[in-house]
């Protein structure tokens, strides 16, 4: 596996940085609205410490055993972003592989908060990856565009503005190549007022009743001055993971108030950046308490893409030089990379030839590692760079070529996305998928495309626990939950 890992920077000791008020050191901050790398005592930005966030939030790191199983079960080579650790962490991905092995359907779910009209390559990556997962598993996919969320959280944005961003973003997302037969894209403000949202709304209200202000404050750091909408929003992003929120996808009606128990029991897999995890912890902690219980959604988490300025930096919509946009011209891409991409090369040509460069912190190399699929080619670049044979200019040239090809490919697809195509993706309808063509471990009747299998039994992924054991587990979970709630309230 030829894969660059971001430079390993010694993590700040949490205790040290918290008490050291004289220095400029601060810890990394990762939550759905604020992502900031740590800084050292001089105020220099450090790389994100992904092992630390995974340990803190108790997620599982993706390891080679899991990837080998992924390949065995799906018959597909793991995507380069899995091989190279850009998607680095998960919750219950192994359970999704079990489900796929049995030939059962699960729901793929991802989303985007439309905070601006133009997307950069960092925004495209989770969707590229979701498309790969859709191809691999051949399952229905929902993409949620949270214009309501962005309106609630961003002081300056108006409702018509965020709605327009959502439409533009949806076209960008479609350009990535999703199959319309298997994909339902929705803009919250539109779907929630459409008449097809009855079961979504019932789920949301039920979930809102299950979670308290204290829980939401604990998860997101809200306080008494946070607007009411923000407090309530989490429930929507959570219940979007329940297949029972979208009966039409499965050819079911939503005329009655009764949601489908069978759909509620369907599993869900959510590809997302690690900062979204707090939302999904909330749903994982509470989904078994729904009247129609749902299993805990599985998650697969990505790191953040390195900004042009280097590790720890953020690609930002307000700084065009921090990122390559999907709308950039060839000239802009060339300029940005040549002028702004942080180099791991040496100060002078002589020094570079003598000492060699460091591909691990070289942004041009990092970007190549996101898009160059050939592991051997990438390994050769790294080696030649380290030896000083390949120069910064050479690496940047390779990167410009790669990024231009990607962005131009995207743009060629984007011009073909008409309003009609957008409307078709957003039309609530029955989706079509095939699932696993060769399930190896059939269980029970009713498995297969478009139906829900056995997953519901063990709501928390325990397969077929005895009734007593299940009761006991539920009781323990309830005690745990109350404890956490109390702790959150104390903060
Ligand atoms: N809250 C996300 C954002 O601000 C949008 C979102 C909604 C999402 N549902 C999701 C992201 C599921 C990943 C997975 O971008």
């Amino acid at each position: 596996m030829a894969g660059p890992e971001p430079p390993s920077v010694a993590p700040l000791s949490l205790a040290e940085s918290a008490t050291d008020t004289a220095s400029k050191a601060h810890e990394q901050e990762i939550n759905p609205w604020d992502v900031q790398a740590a800084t050292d005592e001089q105020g220099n930005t450090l790389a994100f410490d992904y092992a630390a966030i995974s340990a803190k939030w108790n997620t599982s790191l993706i390891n080679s055993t899991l990837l080998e199983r992924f390949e065995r079960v799906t018959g597909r080579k793991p995507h380069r972003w899995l091989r190279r650790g850009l998607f680095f962490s998960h919750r219950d991905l192994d359970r999704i592989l079990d489900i796929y092995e049995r030939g059962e359907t699960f729901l793929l779910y991802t989303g985007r908060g439309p905070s601006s009209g133009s997307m950069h390559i960092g925004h495209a990556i989770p969707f590229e990856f979701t498309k790969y997962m859709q191809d691999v598993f051949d399952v229905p996919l929902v993409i949620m565009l949270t214009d309501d969320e962005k309106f609630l959280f961003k002081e300056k944005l108006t409702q018509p503005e965020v709605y327009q961003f959502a439409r533009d973003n949806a076209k960008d997302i479609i350009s990535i190549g999703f199959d319309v037969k298997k994909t339902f894209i929705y803009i919250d403000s539109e779907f929630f007022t459409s008449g097809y949202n009855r079961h979504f709304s019932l789920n949301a209200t039920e979930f809102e009743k299950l979670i308290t202000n204290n829980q939401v404050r604990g998860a997101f750091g809200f306080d008494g001055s946070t607007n009411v909408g923000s407090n309530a929003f989490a429930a929507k992003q959570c219940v979007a993971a329940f297949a029972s929120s979208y009966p039409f996808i499965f050819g079911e009606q939503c005329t009655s108030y009764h949601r489908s128990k069978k759909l509620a029991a369907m599993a869900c897999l959510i590809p997302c950046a690690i900062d979204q995890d707090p939302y999904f912890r909330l749903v994982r902690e509470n989904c078994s308490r729904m009247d129609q219980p749902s299993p805990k959604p599985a998650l697969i988490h990505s790191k953040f893409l390195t900004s042009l300025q280097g590790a720890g930096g953020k690609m930002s919509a307000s700084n065009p030089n921090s990122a390559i946009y999907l709308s950039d011209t060839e000239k802009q891409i060339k300029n940005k990379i040549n002028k702004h991409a942080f180099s791991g090369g040496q100060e002078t040509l002589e020094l570079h030839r003598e000492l060699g460069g460091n591909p691990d912190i070289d942004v041009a190399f990092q970007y190549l590692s996101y898009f160059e699929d050939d592991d051997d080619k990438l390994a050769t670049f790294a080696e030649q760079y380290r030896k000083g044979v390949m120069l910064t200019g050479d690496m940047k040239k390779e990167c410009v070529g790669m990024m231009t090809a990607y962005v131009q490919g995207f743009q060629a697809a984007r011009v073909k996305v008409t309003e009609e195509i957008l409307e078709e993706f957003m039309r609530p309808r029955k989706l079509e998928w095939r699932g696993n063509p060769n399930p190896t471990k059939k269980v029970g009747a009713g498995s297969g495309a478009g139906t829900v299998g056995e997953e519901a039994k063990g709501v928390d992924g325990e397969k077929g626990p005895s009734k007593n054991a299940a009761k006991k587990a539920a009781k323990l979970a309830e005690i745990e939950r109350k404890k956490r709630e109390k702790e959150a309230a104390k903060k």
Side-chain angles (χ1 to χ4, degrees):
M1 256 184 267
E5 274 294 299
S8 52
V9 176
L12 276 178
S13 135
L14 301 186
E16 244 171 46
S17 60
T19 51
D20 188 357
T21 43
S23 86
K24 290 183 180 147
H26 70 74
E27 288 173 49
Q28 64 184 2
E29 173 69 40
I30 300 180
N31 68 54
W33 303 284
D34 190 17
V35 172
Q36 275 176 43
T39 52
D40 67 12
E41 285 168 19
Q42 283 76 46
N44 300 314
T45 308
L46 303 178
F48 286 105
D49 184 346
Y50 292 104
I53 193 74
S54 163
K56 185 172 167 195
W57 288 351
N58 208 8
T59 74
S60 308
L61 291 173
I62 294 176
N63 57 24
S64 53
T65 316
L66 182 59
L67 290 185
E68 276 156 26
R69 176 156 186 243
F70 178 95
E71 183 157 359
R72 230 182 11 255
V73 170
T74 64
R76 293 280 293 257
K77 186 176 171 187
H79 193 281
R80 59 180 180 278
W81 297 334
L82 286 168
R83 306 199 298 275
R84 296 173 192 162
L86 184 61
F87 280 79
F88 74 107
S89 150
H90 75 102
R91 295 186 188 275
D92 290 334
L93 184 58
D94 31 2
R95 193 162 51 78
I96 292 294
L97 294 177
D98 295 342
I99 290 168
Y100 182 75
E101 264 189 326
R102 297 198 296 266
E104 292 164 21
T105 294
F106 64 88
L107 178 71
L108 254 185
Y109 157 45
T110 193
R112 167 169 165 76
S115 50
S116 96
S118 44
M119 287 171 55
H120 53 59
I121 57 158
H123 296 136
I125 283 199
F127 292 104
E128 288 278 357
F129 186 73
T130 302
K131 152 130 178 70
Y132 162 82
M133 298 294 259
Q134 182 184 57
D135 290 348
V136 168
F137 292 108
D138 201 343
V139 287
L141 162 68
V142 294
I143 299 176
M144 177 187 211
L145 290 160
T146 55
D147 61 339
D148 51 347
E149 178 192 17
K150 289 298 146 182
F151 172 68
L152 288 166
F153 285 94
K154 300 251 167 177
E155 207 48 56
K156 292 205 180 101
L157 293 177
T158 66
Q159 284 174 316
E161 264 167 1
V162 280
Y163 175 67
Q164 190 55 46
F165 290 162
R167 285 188 80 90
D168 294 343
N169 289 179
K171 285 186 175 174
D172 285 351
I173 291 166
I174 291 168
S175 313
I176 289 180
F178 292 102
D179 183 341
V180 68
K181 289 204 194 76
K182 301 177 209 168
T183 309
F184 173 54
I185 300 181
Y186 61 98
I187 299 175
D188 285 357
S189 67
E190 201 172 80
F191 178 49
F192 294 166
T193 51
S194 73
Y196 282 93
N197 73 322
R198 172 174 283 167
H199 288 187
F200 191 112
S201 289
L202 290 169
N203 277 338
T205 309
E206 191 185 339
F207 201 78
E208 283 164 2
K209 187 171 175 178
L210 291 179
I211 57 176
T212 63
N213 277 323
N214 286 334
Q215 270 177 299
V216 177
R217 287 178 187 195
F220 303 115
F222 295 161
D223 59 32
S225 68
T226 307
N227 68 52
V228 174
S230 297
N231 277 275
F233 172 76
K236 301 198 174 70
Q237 180 155 332
C238 287
V239 303
F242 300 154
S244 63
S245 295
Y246 319 96
F248 47 86
I249 288 182
F250 306 91
E252 295 193 14
Q253 298 291 326
C254 58
T255 41
S256 117
Y257 262 58
H258 295 288
R259 277 147 283 162
S260 157
K261 195 168 182 165
K262 198 173 82 177
L263 290 184
M266 186 181 281
C268 175
L269 172 63
I270 312 172
C272 61
I274 186 76
D275 64 309
Q276 295 295 310
D277 190 72
Y279 276 117
F280 301 123
R281 287 205 293 276
L282 210 57
V283 67
R284 285 171 57 89
E285 280 166 17
N286 295 286
C287 54
S288 65
R289 300 166 63 220
M290 294 287 285
D291 184 39
Q292 314 280 12
S294 284
K296 293 182 181 183
L299 295 160
I300 180 158
H301 302 114
S302 78
K303 296 175 181 171
F304 310 115
L305 250 69
T306 302
S307 73
L308 283 165
Q309 283 67 36
K314 253 196 318 187
M315 291 194 185
S316 147
S318 51
N319 176 8
N321 289 328
S322 68
I324 293 175
Y325 281 80
L326 297 172
S327 54
D328 279 349
T329 63
E330 184 174 3
K331 204 168 145 207
Q332 282 171 318
I333 295 174
K334 199 168 164 183
N335 255 325
K336 284 187 186 182
I337 292 173
N338 285 338
K339 282 208 195 120
H340 300 285
F342 182 82
S343 166
Q346 302 292 344
E347 292 283 318
T348 65
L349 181 65
E350 290 69 34
L351 273 178
H352 190 90
R353 292 267 188 234
E354 191 191 320
L355 302 172
N358 180 0
D360 297 338
I361 57 167
D362 191 275
V363 168
F365 179 77
Q366 297 289 316
Y367 282 26
L368 279 167
S369 79
Y370 298 144
F371 289 95
E372 174 57 67
D373 198 49
D374 184 338
D375 292 341
D376 294 336
K377 192 168 169 189
L378 202 64
T380 308
F381 285 163
E383 194 190 314
Q384 299 291 310
Y385 202 56
R386 281 208 171 86
K387 282 188 184 153
V389 177
M390 196 172 184
L391 306 176
T392 293
D394 303 329
M395 192 69 89
K396 287 195 167 181
K397 200 170 158 209
E398 290 289 342
C399 181
V400 169
M402 188 95 221
M403 296 315 303
T404 306
Y406 177 74
V407 169
Q408 288 184 344
F410 169 86
Q411 289 170 0
R414 178 66 165 83
V415 293
K416 294 197 195 119
V417 181
T418 58
E419 286 288 302
E420 290 70 43
I421 291 176
L422 172 62
E423 289 304 330
E424 183 55 19
F425 271 94
M426 298 202 301
R427 186 169 65 85
R429 77 215 112 95
K430 189 169 188 276
L431 297 181
E432 294 165 41
W433 63 93
R434 283 182 303 268
N436 186 348
N438 304 305
T440 46
K441 290 184 189 144
K442 272 242 179 252
V443 262
S447 296
T451 58
V452 191
E454 293 282 280
E455 171 64 13
K457 269 194 191 159
V459 151
D460 287 346
E462 306 138 40
K463 270 149 248 148
S466 75
K467 257 197 187 148
N468 271 343
K471 259 195 189 157
K472 206 169 150 193
K475 214 170 172 185
L476 281 175
E478 184 64 14
I479 294 171
E480 260 304 298
R481 193 186 62 75
K482 289 220 171 108
K483 216 166 86 193
R484 267 197 303 273
E485 214 177 305
K486 268 201 193 132
E487 270 160 24
K490 271 193 227 139
K491 275 186 204 160

